Amino acid sequence: FGGLWRALGAVVALAGFSLSTAGFVTFQTAGTPVDPTKRASRLVTEGVYGFTRNPMYLGISVAFLGLGLWFSSPWLLILAPLMALALRKFAIEREERHLEARFGDEFRAYAARVRRWV
């Protein structure tokens, strides 16, 4: 990997961290817990949640990919999609079951309108 890949990696990592931070701030502003083990107090659909249901997980996944490019690490590049799959299986699917049980039709309408990732 050359300097161009490293620069691209830095930009991608920064974009990912920014997206994740925007999701975090939106949750904080909405007054709902960021901790995925806590019960959601409201369904957040504004801000970055208007174009992805999981900006924090998406942002971390994108940042991980960017770090792989930035540090020229084949291992990080290989692990990035595996991490995204693990997040989906072990976090997102459980959280979405909780949101559907808690918010019902409101969550189902949101899920039909906004994609899980992008």
Side-chain angles (χ1 to χ4, degrees), residues 36 54 57 85-96:
N54 297 285
Y57 293 136
L85 289 171
L87 283 171
R88 178 181 174 175
K89 183 67 180 163
F90 298 113
I92 294 170
E93 290 178 6
R94 183 187 61 78
E95 290 174 15
E96 289 190 343

Side-chain angles (χ1 to χ4, degrees), residues 19-20 23 27 44-59 92 96 110 113-118:
L19 179 60
S20 192
F27 259 36
V44 178
T45 61
E46 61 272 354
V48 293
Y49 290 89
F51 74 88
T52 176
R53 296 195 313 257
N54 297 285
M56 287 185 266
Y57 293 136
L58 176 60
I92 294 170
E96 289 190 343
Y110 171 64
R113 187 176 70 250
V114 177
R115 295 176 58 113
R116 179 177 282 148
W117 294 97
V118 283

Side-chain angles (χ1 to χ4, degrees), residues 25-69:
V25 169
T26 303
F27 259 36
Q28 291 286 346
T29 303
T32 198
V34 175
D35 182 345
T37 64
K38 303 265 195 260
R39 186 174 185 217
S41 60
R42 71 181 281 260
L43 182 62
V44 178
T45 61
E46 61 272 354
V48 293
Y49 290 89
F51 74 88
T52 176
R53 296 195 313 257
N54 297 285
M56 287 185 266
Y57 293 136
L58 176 60
I60 292 300
S61 298
V62 168
F64 203 79
L65 179 64
L67 291 173
L69 292 170

Side-chain angles (χ1 to χ4, degrees), residues 6-22 59-60 62-67 70:
R6 289 180 53 85
L8 176 64
V11 169
V12 170
L14 181 60
F17 286 126
S18 297
L19 179 60
S20 192
T21 299
I60 292 300
V62 168
F64 203 79
L65 179 64
L67 291 173
W70 188 356

